[in-house]
Amino acid sequence: MLRGVACGLGDSRIQNLARLDAGDRAASRTLIRSPMLSQVEQVVRTATASLNTSRPVLAALDNEARRQRLIHDVVLMVELGDLREGVAIEDVAALAAITRRHGRLRLPGLGTNLACRNGVVPDDRNMGELSRLADQVESSGRGRLDVVSGGNSANLPWALSTSDVGRVNELRIGEAILLGTEPLHRTLLPGLHSDAFKLVAEVIEVAVKPAHPWGDRAQTAFGHPPATLRRPAPSRDRTVRQAILALGRQDVDVDGLIPPPGITVLGTSSDHLVVDLGDHAVSVGDELTFGLGYGALLRAMTSPFVVQVETGHPPVAAPDRVGTAHLTSHPMWVALHRRPRIEIAGGRKGGSGPAHRNPGSGCEPDLAGRRTAPGCVAADGGIRWRCRRPRRFLIRSRLLTDDETAILAAGRPRPGGIVWLRCGSRAGPVR
């Protein structure tokens, strides 16, 4: 992603940020979960910024930043109805003043998070409240807030349809880039792909078995009551051709698996996934490929038993076996295709050559098929951009210079992490 247009990455785990820190220290690294008091030393050392809500944590960050002789950026999170993290609206100005009194902390802005715990939808009302709070904090303190972070991928439907984004100039985008969908209704975003990730697992048993269990039944391995059978007196003469795959709940969120057409997931335990093969000709040793929803992708990418393979590149040396999987025979792996991408481009009016965007224009995505304004050219197969007003952008994206085209391709960040697209600041060349 950093090789594309992204100039900032974020993660909720400080260990993952430490790995990012080792790769590219020029990119901003934001801890997107409130820091733990037990980890403030590592947070200040590794993260350039963190999202915060707690006075004790702010004081600890300030003390640690003073000890390390660093400045740490703090974005204060505001509670706007989803009831996850966030400062009460009436306490925002006071906490901002406290933050500014800490000599080693810098307050670049405010943020909020919606559509996570309770599915509260971002709209003009709650985003307008966030803009109002940013104005209030500025009027009661010193300096302008550079960042008003409106939320996550769930904000995209609002951002691409509203007539006024207000002060919101940043979104923390993860699922939309990795899976090509918006989280509110899991609909596909125009110009993106939903099949960037595939989970491949090996078949370890194929057999024709009765369609229903028999004998006295109690809870399953994970404490669930036995499933209600569709027929009150099932016949043991009815059978299914089922397969077992070397995949279980410790590897993936089975509810988020999308099986191949004609195959049905029947059940799962810690280490076994049972499917009805239907008419598919499958044998032991064969592999089945599944699509992934957000929860399934999250668990698969963090499981030590799932090997990650990026397709379209020469194979790397095979590692030793890791649990039930290894790279050469890949009995279970996640394939990262390079297909999903966001192309951001523009061009001189009537010009030729590579598409580029007018750097003085401030643009916003135009997905409704409207004609792009003078100075902007649509990116083939990607999102079209239309000029609106200077230095105002829905998604903060690095401002491109003339003759530059940025292609944001899916990389290896852990799902749940975020990537910023920035606009409104001076940009260097895209590499």
Side-chain angles (χ1 to χ4, degrees):
M1 289 190 179
L2 293 177
R3 290 195 300 267
V5 71
C7 57
L9 298 173
D11 201 287
S12 59
R13 301 296 196 273
I14 194 63
Q15 296 89 339
N16 290 330
L17 284 183
R19 287 195 288 272
L20 292 175
D21 185 36
D24 188 344
R25 294 192 61 86
S28 64
R29 302 169 305 282
T30 301
L31 181 66
I32 60 171
R33 185 174 68 180
S34 300
M36 292 186 283
L37 279 172
S38 59
Q39 291 185 339
V40 291
E41 184 274 334
Q42 193 175 4
V43 170
V44 172
R45 173 164 41 86
T46 303
T48 56
S50 59
L51 309 184
N52 284 266
T53 62
S54 172
R55 294 187 185 189
V57 173
L58 291 172
L61 288 172
D62 180 62
N63 290 334
E64 183 59 36
R66 182 176 293 104
R67 190 185 69 82
Q68 297 187 32
R69 298 182 180 180
L70 295 172
I71 298 294
H72 185 74
D73 283 354
V74 166
V75 174
L76 296 181
M77 297 296 284
V78 183
E79 178 59 74
L80 290 180
D82 202 54
L83 300 181
R84 203 181 72 172
E85 82 275 32
V87 182
I89 291 174
E90 60 270 19
D91 297 331
V92 172
L95 191 59
I98 291 172
T99 304
R100 282 169 165 158
R101 287 200 292 268
H102 288 301
R104 289 289 176 169
L105 299 183
R106 190 179 76 93
L107 180 65
L110 304 179
T112 194
N113 192 73
L114 298 171
C116 271
R117 181 188 168 198
N118 287 297
V120 173
V121 176
D123 54 26
D124 285 340
R125 181 192 57 79
N126 45 43
M127 292 296 99
E129 181 69 17
L130 184 62
S131 294
R132 184 191 67 80
L133 288 170
D135 291 337
Q136 178 185 345
V137 169
E138 286 182 349
S139 65
S140 61
R142 298 169 296 171
R144 179 175 174 82
L145 297 181
D146 297 325
V147 174
V148 180
S149 189
N152 53 51
S153 295
N155 285 67
L156 284 174
W158 166 81
L160 299 178
S161 63
T162 185
S163 60
D164 185 11
V165 297
R167 292 288 305 275
V168 175
N169 61 2
E170 178 179 281
L171 297 179
R172 308 181 301 276
I173 305 298
E175 179 175 348
I177 290 176
L178 298 174
L179 293 177
T181 56
E182 54 83 15
L184 296 178
H185 308 288
R186 260 69 194 192
T187 55
L188 183 64
L189 292 166
L192 300 183
H193 295 270
S194 61
D195 58 352
F197 297 87
K198 296 291 185 181
L199 181 64
V200 181
E202 184 175 324
V203 176
I204 59 175
E205 177 187 297
V206 176
V208 176
K209 295 191 177 184
H212 300 286
W214 64 91
D216 294 335
R217 303 174 69 201
Q219 292 184 357
T220 65
F222 282 83
H224 301 304
T228 301
L229 299 178
R230 295 181 180 179
R231 292 185 293 176
S235 170
R236 291 182 56 185
D237 295 334
R238 182 171 175 264
T239 60
V240 296
R241 186 166 176 268
Q242 74 173 40
I244 299 177
L245 295 98
L247 184 70
R249 288 190 179 273
Q250 67 173 323
D251 308 305
V252 70
D253 178 3
V254 179
D255 294 333
L257 283 179
I258 305 170
I263 292 180
T264 305
V265 174
L266 298 177
T268 184
S269 63
S270 301
D271 311 288
H272 300 75
L273 179 68
V274 183
V275 300
D276 182 347
L277 292 174
D279 296 329
H280 288 259
V282 175
S283 303
V284 171
D286 291 346
E287 294 171 337
L288 294 182
T289 301
F290 296 82
L292 296 163
Y294 179 81
L297 180 59
L298 170 65
R299 193 176 299 177
M301 290 287 281
T302 55
S303 171
F305 307 110
V306 177
V307 178
Q308 300 170 23
V309 176
E310 186 173 355
T311 62
H313 294 271
V316 297
D320 294 334
R321 282 186 175 271
V322 181
T324 60
H326 65 285
L327 188 59
T328 49
S329 60
H330 48 273
M332 183 166 57
W333 47 275
V334 175
L336 287 76
H337 299 272
R338 297 185 65 85
R339 290 183 58 193
R341 61 187 180 274
I342 298 175
E343 297 182 353
I344 305 174
R348 291 189 183 92
K349 186 177 181 181
S352 59
H356 66 282
R357 205 180 76 218
N358 186 339
S361 70
C363 298
E364 72 178 46
D366 180 15
L367 302 182
R370 294 184 292 268
R371 181 179 178 182
T372 53
C376 287
V377 174
D380 292 339
I383 294 180
R384 300 206 305 175
W385 303 85
R386 62 184 175 89
C387 296
R388 182 175 165 189
R389 61 178 182 265
R391 304 184 68 78
R392 177 67 68 183
F393 209 55
L394 297 179
I395 308 172
R396 296 186 65 200
S397 173
R398 188 159 86 177
L399 188 62
L400 304 182
T401 58
D402 285 351
D403 302 318
E404 288 183 338
T405 299
I407 298 177
L408 180 60
R412 293 181 177 274
R414 181 187 62 79
I418 59 172
V419 57
W420 282 272
L421 302 178
R422 298 189 181 274
C423 182
S425 60
R426 188 175 181 179
V430 175
R431 302 189 186 279

